[in-house]
Amino acid sequence: MSGPILRVHHMTKETQKQSTESTAVGKGLRYANVGEVTEFKIRVANSSMLHDVYFSALAVGDNHMFTANPSPPDNDKLEISFYYTPTMEGGYDLYIEEIEGKTKDQSQVPGSPFRLVVQGPKVNQEAERKFTDSLPSCQTIPQNNLSWVEGSWKTRRLVGSKHGVLRSGWVFQPKICSFDTFTEEEIAVAAASLEPTTIAILGSSAERGIFLSLVDLALTEREKVHLNKSNFAKCWGFAELQIGNLRIIYQDFRIAPSGSKRILNENNVIIICHNEKKVVEGYHFFDDALGFLREYLFNDRLWPDVILVTVSDPVQLQSLFKVIPTSWKGVIYPTNTFKVNSGRFYTASGVEEYKEQAMKYLPIDKRIHIFDAFALTTGVRHGSQSSPRIMRSNHFHRWCNELGGRIRVCGDGAEMVAQLLLGKAIAPNGKDVWMRSIRQEHLNVIRNIDYREIMCCHDCPESLLPFHIKRVPDLKCYRSTTGLRLWEEKHLHVWDGTLCPSDCMETKPVGQTQTESGPVDVRECTVTV
């Protein structure tokens, strides 16, 4: 129960302006009863606001935070109903905010934050802690539907010590399980294991925040002093941290925006060439994504235990599994909802569309586990990159220096997903089972943690553009007993592209296009992957 509980600013000068275009009405703004579905409505000035403006509803208490969810808009009455079912009595500040879809400007609906009083049985904090301790570890239960992450955010005062909380003192607490969280010392013990453990994160800069949170969790204060100025900080390519037998990998993997329009079938994709170079600016590099899995991630020396990958649809995911060995016994978490600033997830239709799509992932392969990253993280939406401006934030993480240097990457959303991956990779049968299996010689590494060696590898281009994925990264690595080094500009370069396959070059151009370097011949070819 002891330890810090960090707070974020839920309203600042930039977000305290009152809206003149919307109002909130209903008893649910100020009163509710535990266990009862409660409603309030937001009324808008015109019909366009029902589609061009988003509304956020977040209840913030001293030890508990929860969200209210919208129903489909009523176009005739110009209103949106919001519903929530409180689980804990107490006083809350209910922030209801209007966010303009184009400008991302954020303002308070008049009266926000409303003072909400939830009535019900008085909270017995000790009983709450015992209950969360009695729940199974989340990584041990079936993760074949999205309901397992239904829950809310609570502080260490309401969560037992068996599973733990995040470094901020908060944690997402599902209804049916508890997330195991791992400390720096426990991660060091896992790294000393004789069995290698690898976590791979394949995504964009938002998912890079999960990688950075993992790095921040794993390194000591001394080792991560330069984290925000290291090659890991803003890598648009490949990055890897290795501590003993623990490897944490990030690969920039922006395949989701392309959808599945260039995937013909399980073996063939379409590529585009401009003169002798393959085009990648338009995300036309799905063949290289498959090549990275086959030629690097699943080569003889490196098979990850857990993969988190961003995909846009089941066709993309199915194509990835065509190059993953059938003998691999790991787990993949596909997601495209780790987004604090996606307006569609603040609407009823957007949430339902994602849920329907996620359930289509499961029949593809039994190694697929699903979770709703938005539902898991949205309760801490005010603590993201541009805190508390929700849709001005591209990332859940931000650089910081908290607890005397113990936290260099803030953002409970990113750290929560990082802990989910750690639990699945390190202790798939539960943290308590894992702790009982630890041998004394592994515990000895904690005494020598300040003298250990880490290895850092990277292949990070100088700029984001052109988008690309190297099938086999050209790694620059170093070993260190003092920690991460400062950014090494001499290792940065502008990626010079991939040559168009020779058989494609032999085909007739389908046309020409104008580029900054002048006109180029355009070829479209089918390649086997």
Side-chain angles (χ1 to χ4, degrees):
M1 180 180 172
S2 62
I5 298 176
L6 302 184
R7 304 288 178 179
V8 301
H9 296 291
H10 293 281
M11 187 167 65
T12 60
K13 182 172 64 176
E14 293 88 352
T15 64
Q16 67 183 6
K17 181 182 70 173
Q18 297 277 300
S19 169
T20 60
E21 300 289 317
S22 60
T23 57
V25 297
K27 180 182 176 182
L29 295 171
R30 300 191 181 278
Y31 303 102
N33 293 313
V34 170
E36 294 183 5
V37 178
T38 308
E39 177 190 17
F40 62 84
K41 299 177 184 291
I42 295 177
R43 292 174 178 162
V44 298
N46 54 71
S47 59
S48 65
M49 290 185 65
L50 296 175
H51 309 285
D52 300 334
V53 173
Y54 304 102
F55 293 93
S56 165
L58 178 67
V60 179
D62 289 338
N63 297 298
H64 184 217
M65 292 188 292
F66 64 91
T67 58
N69 300 313
S71 63
D74 187 322
N75 292 288
D76 295 327
K77 295 182 179 180
L78 298 181
E79 64 184 26
I80 304 173
S81 293
F82 279 72
Y83 296 92
Y84 63 93
T85 304
T87 60
M88 195 164 291
E89 62 86 25
Y92 298 84
D93 288 328
L94 178 58
Y95 292 87
I96 302 180
E97 295 167 296
E98 174 188 305
I99 307 171
E100 213 285 327
K102 292 183 179 179
T103 66
K104 313 298 184 185
D105 288 342
Q106 184 171 324
S107 57
Q108 305 294 318
V109 170
S112 174
F114 297 88
R115 189 56 183 170
L116 170 65
V117 177
V118 176
Q119 296 180 332
K122 185 172 178 58
V123 174
N124 183 324
Q125 293 189 357
E126 182 178 359
E128 289 290 327
R129 293 193 295 271
K130 287 182 178 179
F131 174 71
T132 59
D133 276 347
S134 71
L135 294 174
S137 299
C138 287
Q139 69 268 30
T140 67
I141 68 171
Q143 296 175 344
N144 54 9
N145 62 66
L146 298 176
S147 63
W148 75 270
V149 290
E150 291 178 358
S152 56
W153 283 82
K154 298 179 179 180
T155 71
R156 64 172 75 251
R157 296 190 182 104
L158 301 174
V159 176
S161 59
K162 176 183 176 182
H163 300 282
V165 297
L166 304 185
R167 295 171 296 176
S168 67
W170 289 85
V171 74
F172 184 80
Q173 181 60 55
K175 297 176 182 178
I176 63 173
C177 64
S178 290
F179 279 103
D180 286 335
T181 60
F182 296 82
T183 65
E184 170 194 308
E185 292 78 15
E186 289 164 343
I187 296 172
V189 171
S193 170
L194 297 178
E195 294 296 324
T197 300
T198 300
I199 299 172
I201 298 167
L202 315 179
S204 63
S205 57
E207 288 73 31
R208 191 198 311 133
I210 303 170
F211 166 78
L212 292 172
S213 286
L214 282 167
V215 172
D216 194 38
L217 285 163
L219 295 180
T220 65
E221 295 172 29
R222 182 173 65 99
E223 290 170 332
K224 61 189 176 188
V225 167
H226 300 308
L227 177 55
N228 67 328
K229 297 179 181 179
S230 71
N231 287 91
F232 290 168
K234 205 168 188 178
C235 183
W236 292 299
F238 178 93
E240 177 184 332
L241 171 68
Q242 184 171 352
I243 307 172
N245 268 332
L246 174 65
R247 304 175 74 158
I248 304 169
I249 289 173
Y250 170 74
Q251 170 64 52
D252 205 275
F253 207 76
R254 300 171 191 253
I255 63 172
S258 67
S260 54
K261 59 187 177 183
R262 295 193 176 276
I263 303 173
L264 297 180
N265 53 47
E266 61 188 51
N267 297 314
N268 299 287
V269 299
I270 295 175
I271 65 168
I272 296 177
C273 294
H274 286 178
N275 287 347
E276 79 283 2
K277 292 292 183 69
K278 187 170 68 172
V279 177
V280 292
E281 288 89 342
Y283 304 101
H284 308 315
F285 48 73
F286 201 83
D287 57 323
D288 289 330
L290 299 178
F292 171 77
L293 292 182
R294 183 194 298 113
E295 298 173 32
Y296 187 81
L297 201 58
F298 285 96
N299 65 19
D300 292 339
R301 71 180 184 89
L302 177 64
W303 281 33
D305 297 273
V306 177
I307 299 173
L308 182 141
V309 60
T310 54
V311 293
S312 64
D313 56 52
V315 176
Q316 283 193 342
L317 185 60
Q318 192 167 23
S319 297
L320 295 181
F321 266 95
K322 295 300 180 181
V323 300
I324 294 176
T326 56
S327 57
W328 179 59
K329 300 185 184 302
V331 169
I332 279 190
Y333 287 102
T335 185
N336 198 24
T337 60
F338 188 65
K339 299 175 180 179
V340 66
N341 63 347
S342 179
R344 70 188 182 102
F345 295 130
Y346 293 87
T347 68
S349 59
V351 170
E352 287 306 311
E353 286 172 7
Y354 169 70
K355 288 181 177 179
E356 291 176 6
Q357 184 184 77
M359 294 307 294
K360 295 178 182 178
Y361 293 152
L362 288 171
I364 295 173
D365 195 281
K366 64 181 180 180
R367 294 166 291 184
I368 295 171
H369 292 210
I370 60 173
F371 77 106
D372 188 340
F374 184 79
L376 182 72
T377 56
T378 188
V380 289
R381 61 183 67 162
H382 280 164
S384 51
Q385 180 186 29
S386 299
S387 171
R389 292 173 292 177
I390 297 169
M391 291 193 189
R392 291 284 180 90
S393 298
N394 291 322
H395 310 129
F396 272 105
H397 71 282
R398 66 187 189 280
W399 299 114
C400 64
N401 185 358
E402 296 283 358
L403 304 183
R406 283 177 51 205
I407 306 178
R408 295 285 181 171
V409 180
C410 285
D412 283 348
E415 186 172 329
M416 194 70 254
V417 179
Q419 291 286 5
L420 162 65
L421 301 180
L422 279 170
K424 201 67 176 179
I426 292 175
N429 296 317
K431 184 177 176 180
D432 53 345
V433 175
W434 174 71
M435 291 291 288
R436 290 196 297 269
S437 70
I438 294 173
R439 295 158 60 178
Q440 184 59 45
E441 56 263 36
H442 295 158
L443 293 174
N444 291 338
V445 302
I446 298 175
R447 302 194 194 101
N448 301 314
I449 195 170
D450 289 332
Y451 305 98
R452 69 183 178 184
E453 181 180 77
I454 64 173
M455 186 168 76
C456 306
C457 296
H458 56 87
D459 181 3
C460 303
E462 187 177 15
S463 61
L464 172 63
L465 298 176
F467 296 118
H468 68 281
I469 298 173
K470 287 186 181 179
R471 296 183 176 217
V472 179
D474 181 18
L475 297 181
K476 305 294 187 297
C477 299
Y478 65 85
R479 296 180 182 274
S480 173
T481 57
T482 58
L484 297 176
R485 296 177 182 173
L486 291 170
W487 188 274
E488 298 178 275
E489 292 189 9
K490 65 180 181 180
H491 289 157
L492 299 178
H493 60 278
V494 176
W495 189 64
D496 58 4
T498 297
L499 292 176
C500 188
S502 57
D503 54 349
C504 187
M505 287 296 295
E506 295 174 0
T507 64
K508 184 178 179 180
V510 297
Q512 278 196 337
T513 189
Q514 188 68 32
T515 70
E516 293 181 0
S517 303
V520 295
D521 290 333
V522 178
R523 291 176 172 84
E524 289 191 11
C525 300
T526 299
V527 297
T528 301
V529 295

